[in-house]
Structures are given as structure tokens and as C-alpha cells.
Amino acid sequence: MSYAVVNLLLTVIDLYWWVVIVSVILSWLVAFDVLNTRSRAAQTIWRAVDALTEPLLRPIRSILPAVGGLDISPLILLLGLQFLRDIISRTLVYG
């Protein structure tokens, strides 16, 4: 596989990793009432981030229950993304 395609895949994974981090931070800000969800801008950002992360978080949440009220599905997703990134970089780059 071309180095440019591999590099693009790794960049997309890295960007999605940061989207998951932003999602976690936004959820904390909403939970602690720091972020006003009635604000149109905040609502737009929240919907966009939620639309990007929820398709991958929902299956993880269906398998793993909340532990003491704490949702660990973003952590599992981040670990999975890092694992996928390592597999791609080791297999395709160093192959």
C-alpha cells in the first residue's frame, strides 16, 4: 500500500482520537453546567461531536455497563483506536 494512503489513514485515526477527547471534555462541561447547552453555538458543536462519536460509542456502551455511573466507553474506544493505529503502522509501514 502506498505510503501516502497509510499516512492518510493514520492522520484520520489521530484526528478522530482528538474528536473523542473533545467529546469527553464537552460531556464534562455539560454535566457540571459550565457549558450552556441552550446556546446555539454550543448546541451546534455538541451535535456535531456527538454525531461523529456516537456511532462507535453506542456499540461499546451496549456491551459494557456503566461502572459506578462512570461511562468508560470513550476510554475503550481510545484504546481501540491506538491499537488500530499500531497495527496499521507496524503492518503497512514496517511490513
Side-chain angles (χ1 to χ4, degrees), residues 55-92:
L56 290 179
L57 289 174
R58 191 176 305 121
I60 297 171
R61 286 186 184 127
S62 68
I63 295 170
L64 293 175
V67 179
L70 186 63
D71 182 18
I72 60 169
S73 60
L75 178 64
I76 301 299
L77 180 57
L78 290 174
L79 289 172
L81 287 172
Q82 187 62 39
F83 181 71
L84 180 64
R85 188 182 196 298
D86 287 346
I87 286 176
I88 290 172
S89 65
R90 290 177 198 268
T91 307
L92 299 177

Side-chain angles (χ1 to χ4, degrees), residues 5-27:
V5 174
V6 172
N7 199 18
L8 178 66
L9 278 172
L10 294 176
T11 303
V12 168
I13 291 171
D14 288 343
L15 288 173
Y16 194 76
W17 195 87
W18 284 107
V19 170
V20 173
I21 296 292
V22 167
S23 171
V24 169
I25 292 170
L26 282 176
S27 72

Side-chain angles (χ1 to χ4, degrees), residues 31-77:
F32 292 119
D33 207 21
V34 174
L35 185 64
N36 184 4
T37 54
R38 291 181 300 269
S39 164
R40 193 163 180 87
Q43 211 173 46
T44 303
I45 293 170
W46 176 256
R47 283 185 188 156
V49 170
D50 192 51
L52 288 171
T53 58
E54 201 55 35
L56 290 179
L57 289 174
R58 191 176 305 121
I60 297 171
R61 286 186 184 127
S62 68
I63 295 170
L64 293 175
V67 179
L70 186 63
D71 182 18
I72 60 169
S73 60
L75 178 64
I76 301 299
L77 180 57

